[in-house]
Amino acid sequence: MTQINPQIEASWQDILMDEFAASYFASLKEFLIDEKKKFKVYPPGNEIFNAFNHTPFDKVKVVILGQDPYHGRGQAHGLCFSVPRGVEPPPSLVNIFKELNNDLGIPIPDHGNLLKWTDQGVLLLNATLTVRAGQAGSHQGKGWEQFTDAVIRKISENKVGAIFLLWGKYAQAKEILIDHGKHYILKAAHPSPFSAYSGFFGCKHFSKSNELLTSHGLSPIDWQL
């Protein structure tokens, strides 16, 4: 069995120790090793756990859930909805920026890198953390969902007052993992062009999150990039 030693921030390493020791994670590791022999896999190995490395467990204030990494060249860098500087923001991210502008008057940025959010306590978590180049959903059902479900449960069990932004049906299905008595759940349509006009635009999740944070004496998120 492959030895598991993921390069992940120390607080997450501690709280997810049981997941890394589980048989499903060993199988996932074997799958990825085999997959990389045959195909290009995104994001690069050192960026798979970017969301965790930029937002330590004790710093998590807001959780935004995505589904899959982007599968185009140079797009995925371990943060849901985000792309590195120099890469054109995909349509869902463009709509996120439109809602930010509508909600808080924040100018639409000239890039799509959301790292500034993560360093303030916004965990940008995809349910599946890798993907085969050019093939959306190709790494679903291989173990990542079990791992990221555990991440959501750990946050729910060990923290109080986290704000979960659940956009679209896929993210909203994760609601069962969250203790409603301890945390805040804000739901809206997905920011995709196919659904943004069905309830994402006008949801005001960014201002609502900041109102909740300040009501608990926590610093709000500076959403401007």
Side-chain angles (χ1 to χ4, degrees), residues 70-133:
Y70 296 124
H71 55 85
R73 184 171 179 233
Q75 291 181 308
H77 66 143
L79 311 174
C80 74
F81 295 108
S82 180
V83 291
R85 283 179 180 268
V87 175
E88 185 177 351
S92 292
L93 183 54
V94 170
N95 285 338
I96 289 170
F97 291 153
K98 286 179 181 176
E99 175 57 22
L100 261 174
N101 178 257
N102 172 63
D103 184 8
L104 291 167
I106 288 174
I108 292 175
D110 59 1
H111 66 91
N113 191 329
L114 306 181
L115 269 177
K116 184 184 170 190
W117 296 358
T118 68
D119 293 332
Q120 299 177 77
V122 181
L123 182 67
L124 296 175
L125 180 67
N126 272 320
T128 303
L129 298 188
T130 56
V131 69
R132 187 185 299 173

Short mmCIF file of all heavy atoms in Angstrom, two decimals, residues 70-133:
data_model
loop_
_atom_site.label_atom_id
_atom_site.label_comp_id
_atom_site.label_asym_id
_atom_site.label_seq_id
_atom_site.Cartn_x
_atom_site.Cartn_y
_atom_site.Cartn_z
N TYR A 70 -11.22 23.32 -12.58
CA TYR A 70 -11.26 23.61 -14.01
C TYR A 70 -10.36 22.62 -14.75
O TYR A 70 -9.29 22.26 -14.25
CB TYR A 70 -10.77 25.03 -14.28
CG TYR A 70 -11.63 26.12 -13.67
CD1 TYR A 70 -11.08 27.06 -12.81
CD2 TYR A 70 -12.99 26.24 -13.98
CE1 TYR A 70 -11.85 28.09 -12.26
CE2 TYR A 70 -13.77 27.25 -13.45
CZ TYR A 70 -13.20 28.18 -12.58
OH TYR A 70 -13.96 29.18 -12.04
N HIS A 71 -10.76 22.21 -15.95
CA HIS A 71 -10.00 21.19 -16.66
C HIS A 71 -9.24 21.73 -17.85
O HIS A 71 -8.67 20.98 -18.64
CB HIS A 71 -10.93 20.04 -17.10
CG HIS A 71 -12.11 20.48 -17.91
ND1 HIS A 71 -12.03 20.64 -19.27
CD2 HIS A 71 -13.38 20.79 -17.55
CE1 HIS A 71 -13.21 21.03 -19.72
NE2 HIS A 71 -14.04 21.14 -18.70
N GLY A 72 -9.21 23.07 -18.01
CA GLY A 72 -8.44 23.68 -19.08
C GLY A 72 -7.00 23.96 -18.66
O GLY A 72 -6.70 24.07 -17.46
N ARG A 73 -6.12 24.08 -19.61
CA ARG A 73 -4.71 24.29 -19.33
C ARG A 73 -4.48 25.56 -18.52
O ARG A 73 -4.95 26.64 -18.88
CB ARG A 73 -3.94 24.36 -20.65
CG ARG A 73 -2.44 24.47 -20.49
CD ARG A 73 -1.74 24.33 -21.82
NE ARG A 73 -0.31 24.46 -21.62
CZ ARG A 73 0.46 25.30 -22.30
NH1 ARG A 73 -0.08 26.09 -23.20
NH2 ARG A 73 1.75 25.36 -22.07
N GLY A 74 -3.77 25.42 -17.41
CA GLY A 74 -3.36 26.57 -16.61
C GLY A 74 -4.44 27.18 -15.74
O GLY A 74 -4.20 28.17 -15.05
N GLN A 75 -5.66 26.60 -15.75
CA GLN A 75 -6.76 27.21 -14.99
C GLN A 75 -6.76 26.81 -13.52
O GLN A 75 -6.90 27.67 -12.64
CB GLN A 75 -8.10 26.81 -15.62
CG GLN A 75 -8.39 27.42 -16.97
CD GLN A 75 -9.76 26.98 -17.48
OE1 GLN A 75 -10.07 25.78 -17.53
NE2 GLN A 75 -10.57 27.94 -17.87
N ALA A 76 -6.68 25.52 -13.25
CA ALA A 76 -6.86 25.03 -11.87
C ALA A 76 -5.61 25.30 -11.04
O ALA A 76 -4.49 25.02 -11.47
CB ALA A 76 -7.17 23.53 -11.88
N HIS A 77 -5.82 25.84 -9.83
CA HIS A 77 -4.69 25.98 -8.90
C HIS A 77 -5.10 25.69 -7.45
O HIS A 77 -4.54 26.23 -6.51
CB HIS A 77 -3.98 27.33 -9.06
CG HIS A 77 -4.79 28.53 -8.68
ND1 HIS A 77 -4.23 29.62 -8.06
CD2 HIS A 77 -6.10 28.83 -8.83
CE1 HIS A 77 -5.16 30.54 -7.84
NE2 HIS A 77 -6.30 30.08 -8.30
N GLY A 78 -6.09 24.79 -7.31
CA GLY A 78 -6.42 24.28 -5.99
C GLY A 78 -7.44 25.07 -5.21
O GLY A 78 -7.69 24.77 -4.05
N LEU A 79 -8.07 26.07 -5.83
CA LEU A 79 -9.08 26.89 -5.17
C LEU A 79 -10.33 26.90 -6.04
O LEU A 79 -10.24 27.21 -7.24
CB LEU A 79 -8.60 28.34 -4.99
CG LEU A 79 -7.21 28.57 -4.40
CD1 LEU A 79 -6.88 30.06 -4.44
CD2 LEU A 79 -7.14 28.03 -2.97
N CYS A 80 -11.48 26.58 -5.47
CA CYS A 80 -12.69 26.55 -6.29
C CYS A 80 -12.99 27.94 -6.85
O CYS A 80 -12.79 28.96 -6.18
CB CYS A 80 -13.87 25.99 -5.51
SG CYS A 80 -14.59 27.07 -4.25
N PHE A 81 -13.43 27.96 -8.08
CA PHE A 81 -13.81 29.15 -8.86
C PHE A 81 -12.64 30.04 -9.26
O PHE A 81 -12.78 30.90 -10.13
CB PHE A 81 -14.87 30.00 -8.12
CG PHE A 81 -16.19 29.30 -7.95
CD1 PHE A 81 -16.60 28.84 -6.70
CD2 PHE A 81 -17.02 29.08 -9.04
CE1 PHE A 81 -17.82 28.19 -6.54
CE2 PHE A 81 -18.24 28.43 -8.89
CZ PHE A 81 -18.64 27.99 -7.64
N SER A 82 -11.48 29.90 -8.66
CA SER A 82 -10.35 30.78 -8.88
C SER A 82 -9.46 30.31 -10.02
O SER A 82 -9.36 29.10 -10.29
CB SER A 82 -9.52 30.86 -7.59
OG SER A 82 -8.40 31.70 -7.72
N VAL A 83 -8.81 31.26 -10.69
CA VAL A 83 -7.78 30.94 -11.68
C VAL A 83 -6.55 31.82 -11.40
O VAL A 83 -6.68 32.90 -10.83
CB VAL A 83 -8.26 31.18 -13.14
CG1 VAL A 83 -9.32 30.17 -13.54
CG2 VAL A 83 -8.77 32.61 -13.34
N PRO A 84 -5.37 31.37 -11.79
CA PRO A 84 -4.18 32.20 -11.59
C PRO A 84 -4.25 33.49 -12.40
O PRO A 84 -4.97 33.59 -13.40
CB PRO A 84 -3.03 31.31 -12.10
CG PRO A 84 -3.57 29.92 -12.13
CD PRO A 84 -5.03 30.07 -12.41
N ARG A 85 -3.49 34.47 -11.97
CA ARG A 85 -3.37 35.71 -12.75
C ARG A 85 -2.87 35.37 -14.16
O ARG A 85 -2.06 34.49 -14.34
CB ARG A 85 -2.40 36.68 -12.08
CG ARG A 85 -3.00 37.41 -10.89
CD ARG A 85 -1.99 38.33 -10.24
NE ARG A 85 -2.55 39.04 -9.11
CZ ARG A 85 -3.14 40.23 -9.18
NH1 ARG A 85 -3.21 40.85 -10.34
NH2 ARG A 85 -3.63 40.81 -8.10
N GLY A 86 -3.39 36.10 -15.12
CA GLY A 86 -3.00 35.86 -16.51
C GLY A 86 -3.90 34.88 -17.23
O GLY A 86 -3.77 34.71 -18.44
N VAL A 87 -4.80 34.23 -16.48
CA VAL A 87 -5.76 33.29 -17.08
C VAL A 87 -7.13 33.97 -17.08
O VAL A 87 -7.57 34.50 -16.06
CB VAL A 87 -5.81 31.97 -16.28
CG1 VAL A 87 -6.89 31.04 -16.84
CG2 VAL A 87 -4.45 31.29 -16.30
N GLU A 88 -7.81 33.93 -18.19
CA GLU A 88 -9.11 34.60 -18.30
C GLU A 88 -10.12 34.00 -17.33
O GLU A 88 -10.29 32.77 -17.29
CB GLU A 88 -9.63 34.48 -19.73
CG GLU A 88 -10.91 35.25 -19.97
CD GLU A 88 -11.38 35.18 -21.42
OE1 GLU A 88 -10.61 34.66 -22.26
OE2 GLU A 88 -12.50 35.63 -21.70
N PRO A 89 -10.81 34.81 -16.53
CA PRO A 89 -11.81 34.28 -15.60
C PRO A 89 -12.94 33.55 -16.35
O PRO A 89 -13.50 34.10 -17.29
CB PRO A 89 -12.36 35.53 -14.89
CG PRO A 89 -11.25 36.54 -15.00
CD PRO A 89 -10.62 36.27 -16.35
N PRO A 90 -13.24 32.31 -15.95
CA PRO A 90 -14.35 31.57 -16.57
C PRO A 90 -15.70 32.23 -16.27
O PRO A 90 -15.80 33.07 -15.36
CB PRO A 90 -14.25 30.18 -15.92
CG PRO A 90 -12.84 30.09 -15.43
CD PRO A 90 -12.49 31.48 -15.00
N PRO A 91 -16.75 31.84 -17.00
CA PRO A 91 -18.05 32.51 -16.88
C PRO A 91 -18.63 32.54 -15.47
O PRO A 91 -19.19 33.57 -15.07
CB PRO A 91 -18.95 31.71 -17.84
CG PRO A 91 -18.00 31.18 -18.86
CD PRO A 91 -16.73 30.87 -18.12
N SER A 92 -18.51 31.44 -14.71
CA SER A 92 -19.07 31.45 -13.35
C SER A 92 -18.37 32.49 -12.48
O SER A 92 -19.01 33.17 -11.67
CB SER A 92 -18.95 30.06 -12.71
OG SER A 92 -19.79 29.13 -13.34
N LEU A 93 -17.06 32.61 -12.65
CA LEU A 93 -16.30 33.58 -11.86
C LEU A 93 -16.66 35.00 -12.28
O LEU A 93 -16.78 35.90 -11.43
CB LEU A 93 -14.80 33.32 -12.02
CG LEU A 93 -13.86 34.21 -11.21
CD1 LEU A 93 -14.19 34.19 -9.73
CD2 LEU A 93 -12.41 33.77 -11.43
N VAL A 94 -16.87 35.22 -13.57
CA VAL A 94 -17.31 36.53 -14.04
C VAL A 94 -18.62 36.91 -13.36
O VAL A 94 -18.82 38.06 -12.92
CB VAL A 94 -17.48 36.52 -15.58
CG1 VAL A 94 -18.17 37.80 -16.06
CG2 VAL A 94 -16.12 36.37 -16.25
N ASN A 95 -19.53 35.94 -13.22
CA ASN A 95 -20.82 36.21 -12.58
C ASN A 95 -20.67 36.45 -11.08
O ASN A 95 -21.42 37.24 -10.50
CB ASN A 95 -21.80 35.07 -12.85
CG ASN A 95 -22.33 35.10 -14.27
OD1 ASN A 95 -22.30 36.13 -14.93
ND2 ASN A 95 -22.82 33.97 -14.75
N ILE A 96 -19.71 35.80 -10.45
CA ILE A 96 -19.42 36.07 -9.04
C ILE A 96 -18.98 37.53 -8.88
O ILE A 96 -19.42 38.24 -7.98
CB ILE A 96 -18.34 35.10 -8.51
CG1 ILE A 96 -18.92 33.69 -8.37
CG2 ILE A 96 -17.78 35.58 -7.17
CD1 ILE A 96 -17.88 32.61 -8.08
N PHE A 97 -18.13 37.98 -9.78
CA PHE A 97 -17.67 39.36 -9.73
C PHE A 97 -18.82 40.35 -9.99
O PHE A 97 -18.88 41.42 -9.39
CB PHE A 97 -16.55 39.59 -10.75
CG PHE A 97 -15.26 38.89 -10.41
CD1 PHE A 97 -14.37 38.52 -11.41
CD2 PHE A 97 -14.92 38.61 -9.10
CE1 PHE A 97 -13.18 37.89 -11.11
CE2 PHE A 97 -13.73 37.96 -8.78
CZ PHE A 97 -12.85 37.61 -9.79
N LYS A 98 -19.74 39.97 -10.88
CA LYS A 98 -20.91 40.82 -11.14
C LYS A 98 -21.76 40.96 -9.89
O LYS A 98 -22.25 42.06 -9.56
CB LYS A 98 -21.75 40.24 -12.28
CG LYS A 98 -21.13 40.41 -13.66
CD LYS A 98 -22.03 39.78 -14.73
CE LYS A 98 -21.42 39.93 -16.12
NZ LYS A 98 -22.24 39.23 -17.15
N GLU A 99 -21.95 39.84 -9.17
CA GLU A 99 -22.75 39.89 -7.94
C GLU A 99 -22.04 40.70 -6.85
O GLU A 99 -22.68 41.45 -6.11
CB GLU A 99 -23.06 38.48 -7.45
CG GLU A 99 -23.79 38.40 -6.11
CD GLU A 99 -25.11 39.16 -6.07
OE1 GLU A 99 -25.72 39.43 -7.12
OE2 GLU A 99 -25.55 39.49 -4.95
N LEU A 100 -20.72 40.55 -6.77
CA LEU A 100 -19.95 41.37 -5.82
C LEU A 100 -20.13 42.85 -6.11
O LEU A 100 -20.28 43.67 -5.19
CB LEU A 100 -18.47 41.00 -5.93
CG LEU A 100 -17.89 40.05 -4.90
CD1 LEU A 100 -16.46 39.70 -5.28
CD2 LEU A 100 -17.94 40.66 -3.51
N ASN A 101 -20.10 43.20 -7.38
CA ASN A 101 -20.27 44.59 -7.78
C ASN A 101 -21.67 45.08 -7.43
O ASN A 101 -21.85 46.18 -6.89
CB ASN A 101 -20.00 44.73 -9.28
CG ASN A 101 -20.21 46.14 -9.79
OD1 ASN A 101 -21.23 46.44 -10.42
ND2 ASN A 101 -19.27 47.02 -9.52
N ASN A 102 -22.66 44.24 -7.69
CA ASN A 102 -24.05 44.58 -7.39
C ASN A 102 -24.28 44.68 -5.88
O ASN A 102 -24.99 45.58 -5.40
CB ASN A 102 -24.97 43.52 -7.99
CG ASN A 102 -26.42 43.69 -7.57
OD1 ASN A 102 -27.05 44.69 -7.87
ND2 ASN A 102 -26.95 42.71 -6.85
N ASP A 103 -23.67 43.77 -5.13
CA ASP A 103 -23.90 43.67 -3.69
C ASP A 103 -23.15 44.76 -2.91
O ASP A 103 -23.72 45.44 -2.05
CB ASP A 103 -23.45 42.27 -3.23
CG ASP A 103 -23.73 41.99 -1.76
OD1 ASP A 103 -24.41 42.80 -1.11
OD2 ASP A 103 -23.27 40.94 -1.27
N LEU A 104 -21.87 44.92 -3.21
CA LEU A 104 -21.02 45.79 -2.41
C LEU A 104 -20.37 46.92 -3.20
O LEU A 104 -19.57 47.69 -2.63
CB LEU A 104 -19.92 44.94 -1.74
CG LEU A 104 -20.40 43.98 -0.65
CD1 LEU A 104 -19.30 42.98 -0.29
CD2 LEU A 104 -20.83 44.75 0.60
N GLY A 105 -20.69 47.04 -4.49
CA GLY A 105 -20.11 48.10 -5.30
C GLY A 105 -18.64 47.90 -5.61
O GLY A 105 -17.94 48.84 -5.99
N ILE A 106 -18.15 46.66 -5.43
CA ILE A 106 -16.74 46.37 -5.66
C ILE A 106 -16.46 46.33 -7.16
O ILE A 106 -17.15 45.63 -7.91
CB ILE A 106 -16.35 45.04 -4.98
CG1 ILE A 106 -16.32 45.23 -3.46
CG2 ILE A 106 -15.01 44.52 -5.49
CD1 ILE A 106 -16.09 43.96 -2.68
N PRO A 107 -15.45 47.07 -7.63
CA PRO A 107 -15.13 47.05 -9.06
C PRO A 107 -14.77 45.64 -9.52
O PRO A 107 -14.14 44.88 -8.79
CB PRO A 107 -13.91 47.98 -9.16
CG PRO A 107 -13.92 48.80 -7.91
CD PRO A 107 -14.55 47.95 -6.86
N ILE A 108 -15.16 45.31 -10.73
CA ILE A 108 -14.83 44.00 -11.29
C ILE A 108 -13.33 43.97 -11.59
O ILE A 108 -12.82 44.83 -12.30
CB ILE A 108 -15.67 43.72 -12.55
CG1 ILE A 108 -17.14 43.56 -12.13
CG2 ILE A 108 -15.18 42.48 -13.28
CD1 ILE A 108 -18.12 43.41 -13.25
N PRO A 109 -12.60 43.00 -11.02
CA PRO A 109 -11.14 42.99 -11.18
C PRO A 109 -10.70 42.57 -12.57
O PRO A 109 -11.49 42.03 -13.35
CB PRO A 109 -10.69 41.96 -10.13
CG PRO A 109 -11.85 41.04 -9.98
CD PRO A 109 -13.08 41.88 -10.20
N ASP A 110 -9.42 42.80 -12.87
CA ASP A 110 -8.88 42.44 -14.17
C ASP A 110 -8.19 41.08 -14.14
O ASP A 110 -7.43 40.73 -15.04
CB ASP A 110 -7.91 43.51 -14.67
CG ASP A 110 -6.73 43.72 -13.73
OD1 ASP A 110 -6.65 43.01 -12.69
OD2 ASP A 110 -5.87 44.58 -14.02
N HIS A 111 -8.45 40.30 -13.08
CA HIS A 111 -7.89 38.95 -12.97
C HIS A 111 -8.86 38.10 -12.16
O HIS A 111 -9.83 38.62 -11.60
CB HIS A 111 -6.51 39.00 -12.28
CG HIS A 111 -6.57 39.42 -10.84
ND1 HIS A 111 -6.71 38.54 -9.81
CD2 HIS A 111 -6.55 40.66 -10.28
CE1 HIS A 111 -6.76 39.19 -8.66
NE2 HIS A 111 -6.66 40.48 -8.92
N GLY A 112 -8.58 36.79 -12.09
CA GLY A 112 -9.50 35.89 -11.40
C GLY A 112 -8.87 35.12 -10.25
O GLY A 112 -9.37 34.07 -9.86
N ASN A 113 -7.77 35.64 -9.70
CA ASN A 113 -7.08 34.94 -8.61
C ASN A 113 -7.68 35.33 -7.27
O ASN A 113 -7.59 36.49 -6.85
CB ASN A 113 -5.58 35.28 -8.66
CG ASN A 113 -4.76 34.40 -7.74
OD1 ASN A 113 -5.23 33.95 -6.70
ND2 ASN A 113 -3.52 34.14 -8.11
N LEU A 114 -8.28 34.37 -6.56
CA LEU A 114 -9.00 34.63 -5.31
C LEU A 114 -8.16 34.37 -4.06
O LEU A 114 -8.70 34.27 -2.96
CB LEU A 114 -10.27 33.76 -5.26
CG LEU A 114 -11.21 33.87 -6.47
CD1 LEU A 114 -12.44 32.98 -6.27
CD2 LEU A 114 -11.64 35.31 -6.71
N LEU A 115 -6.84 34.28 -4.22
CA LEU A 115 -5.97 33.98 -3.07
C LEU A 115 -6.16 34.97 -1.93
O LEU A 115 -6.08 34.60 -0.76
CB LEU A 115 -4.49 33.97 -3.49
CG LEU A 115 -3.90 32.64 -3.93
CD1 LEU A 115 -2.46 32.82 -4.37
CD2 LEU A 115 -3.99 31.60 -2.82
N LYS A 116 -6.43 36.22 -2.25
CA LYS A 116 -6.61 37.23 -1.20
C LYS A 116 -7.75 36.85 -0.26
O LYS A 116 -7.71 37.13 0.94
CB LYS A 116 -6.86 38.60 -1.82
CG LYS A 116 -6.95 39.73 -0.80
CD LYS A 116 -7.29 41.06 -1.44
CE LYS A 116 -7.61 42.10 -0.37
NZ LYS A 116 -8.16 43.34 -0.97
N TRP A 117 -8.78 36.21 -0.79
CA TRP A 117 -9.89 35.77 0.06
C TRP A 117 -9.44 34.66 1.01
O TRP A 117 -9.77 34.67 2.19
CB TRP A 117 -11.05 35.25 -0.79
CG TRP A 117 -11.71 36.26 -1.67
CD1 TRP A 117 -11.42 37.59 -1.78
CD2 TRP A 117 -12.80 36.01 -2.58
NE1 TRP A 117 -12.25 38.18 -2.70
CE2 TRP A 117 -13.10 37.24 -3.21
CE3 TRP A 117 -13.51 34.87 -2.92
CZ2 TRP A 117 -14.12 37.35 -4.16
CZ3 TRP A 117 -14.52 34.97 -3.87
CH2 TRP A 117 -14.82 36.21 -4.47
N THR A 118 -8.67 33.72 0.47
CA THR A 118 -8.28 32.55 1.28
C THR A 118 -7.42 32.97 2.47
O THR A 118 -7.53 32.41 3.55
CB THR A 118 -7.52 31.51 0.44
OG1 THR A 118 -6.24 32.02 0.06
CG2 THR A 118 -8.29 31.12 -0.81
N ASP A 119 -6.58 33.97 2.26
CA ASP A 119 -5.70 34.41 3.35
C ASP A 119 -6.46 35.15 4.45
O ASP A 119 -5.90 35.42 5.51
CB ASP A 119 -4.58 35.28 2.78
CG ASP A 119 -3.63 34.50 1.87
OD1 ASP A 119 -3.49 33.27 2.08
OD2 ASP A 119 -3.04 35.09 0.95
N GLN A 120 -7.74 35.44 4.20
CA GLN A 120 -8.59 36.09 5.21
C GLN A 120 -9.55 35.10 5.88
O GLN A 120 -10.39 35.51 6.70
CB GLN A 120 -9.41 37.21 4.58
CG GLN A 120 -8.59 38.33 3.96
CD GLN A 120 -9.49 39.34 3.30
OE1 GLN A 120 -10.12 40.16 3.96
NE2 GLN A 120 -9.59 39.27 1.98
N GLY A 121 -9.46 33.83 5.52
CA GLY A 121 -10.32 32.84 6.17
C GLY A 121 -11.44 32.30 5.31
O GLY A 121 -12.39 31.70 5.84
N VAL A 122 -11.35 32.48 3.99
CA VAL A 122 -12.36 31.92 3.09
C VAL A 122 -11.79 30.63 2.49
O VAL A 122 -10.83 30.67 1.72
CB VAL A 122 -12.73 32.91 1.96
CG1 VAL A 122 -13.79 32.31 1.05
CG2 VAL A 122 -13.22 34.23 2.55
N LEU A 123 -12.37 29.49 2.88
CA LEU A 123 -11.93 28.20 2.36
C LEU A 123 -12.64 27.94 1.04
O LEU A 123 -13.86 27.81 0.99
CB LEU A 123 -12.25 27.08 3.36
CG LEU A 123 -11.79 25.67 2.96
CD1 LEU A 123 -10.27 25.58 2.95
CD2 LEU A 123 -12.40 24.62 3.89
N LEU A 124 -11.87 27.89 -0.05
CA LEU A 124 -12.42 27.69 -1.39
C LEU A 124 -12.26 26.22 -1.76
O LEU A 124 -11.29 25.80 -2.37
CB LEU A 124 -11.69 28.59 -2.39
CG LEU A 124 -11.87 30.10 -2.16
CD1 LEU A 124 -11.00 30.91 -3.12
CD2 LEU A 124 -13.34 30.52 -2.29
N LEU A 125 -13.26 25.42 -1.36
CA LEU A 125 -13.15 23.96 -1.37
C LEU A 125 -13.93 23.33 -2.51
O LEU A 125 -15.15 23.44 -2.59
CB LEU A 125 -13.68 23.41 -0.03
CG LEU A 125 -13.65 21.90 0.15
CD1 LEU A 125 -12.20 21.39 0.23
CD2 LEU A 125 -14.41 21.51 1.42
N ASN A 126 -13.22 22.66 -3.40
CA ASN A 126 -13.88 21.81 -4.39
C ASN A 126 -14.16 20.44 -3.78
O ASN A 126 -13.38 19.95 -2.96
CB ASN A 126 -13.00 21.63 -5.63
CG ASN A 126 -13.21 22.71 -6.67
OD1 ASN A 126 -14.34 23.14 -6.91
ND2 ASN A 126 -12.12 23.16 -7.28
N ALA A 127 -15.25 19.80 -4.21
CA ALA A 127 -15.57 18.46 -3.72
C ALA A 127 -14.58 17.43 -4.26
O ALA A 127 -14.22 16.48 -3.58
CB ALA A 127 -16.99 18.07 -4.12
N THR A 128 -14.13 17.63 -5.49
CA THR A 128 -13.12 16.78 -6.12
C THR A 128 -11.89 17.66 -6.34
O THR A 128 -12.01 18.76 -6.88
CB THR A 128 -13.63 16.24 -7.47
OG1 THR A 128 -14.84 15.52 -7.24
CG2 THR A 128 -12.61 15.30 -8.10
N LEU A 129 -10.72 17.20 -5.94
CA LEU A 129 -9.55 18.08 -5.92
C LEU A 129 -8.63 17.93 -7.14
O LEU A 129 -7.68 18.69 -7.27
CB LEU A 129 -8.74 17.86 -4.64
CG LEU A 129 -9.46 18.17 -3.33
CD1 LEU A 129 -8.49 18.12 -2.16
CD2 LEU A 129 -10.16 19.52 -3.37
N THR A 130 -8.91 16.95 -8.01
CA THR A 130 -8.12 16.79 -9.23
C THR A 130 -9.04 16.47 -10.41
O THR A 130 -10.21 16.10 -10.21
CB THR A 130 -7.07 15.66 -9.10
OG1 THR A 130 -7.74 14.44 -8.75
CG2 THR A 130 -6.01 16.00 -8.05
N VAL A 131 -8.49 16.60 -11.61
CA VAL A 131 -9.27 16.31 -12.81
C VAL A 131 -8.30 15.98 -13.95
O VAL A 131 -7.16 16.48 -13.98
CB VAL A 131 -10.17 17.51 -13.19
CG1 VAL A 131 -9.34 18.70 -13.68
CG2 VAL A 131 -11.23 17.15 -14.20
N ARG A 132 -8.72 15.13 -14.86
CA ARG A 132 -7.93 14.83 -16.06
C ARG A 132 -8.09 16.00 -17.04
O ARG A 132 -9.20 16.52 -17.22
CB ARG A 132 -8.43 13.54 -16.70
CG ARG A 132 -7.59 13.05 -17.86
CD ARG A 132 -8.22 11.83 -18.51
NE ARG A 132 -8.36 10.70 -17.59
CZ ARG A 132 -9.00 9.57 -17.89
NH1 ARG A 132 -9.60 9.44 -19.08
NH2 ARG A 132 -9.07 8.59 -17.01
N ALA A 133 -7.01 16.42 -17.65
CA ALA A 133 -7.04 17.54 -18.59
C ALA A 133 -8.12 17.35 -19.64
O ALA A 133 -8.20 16.28 -20.27
CB ALA A 133 -5.68 17.71 -19.26
#
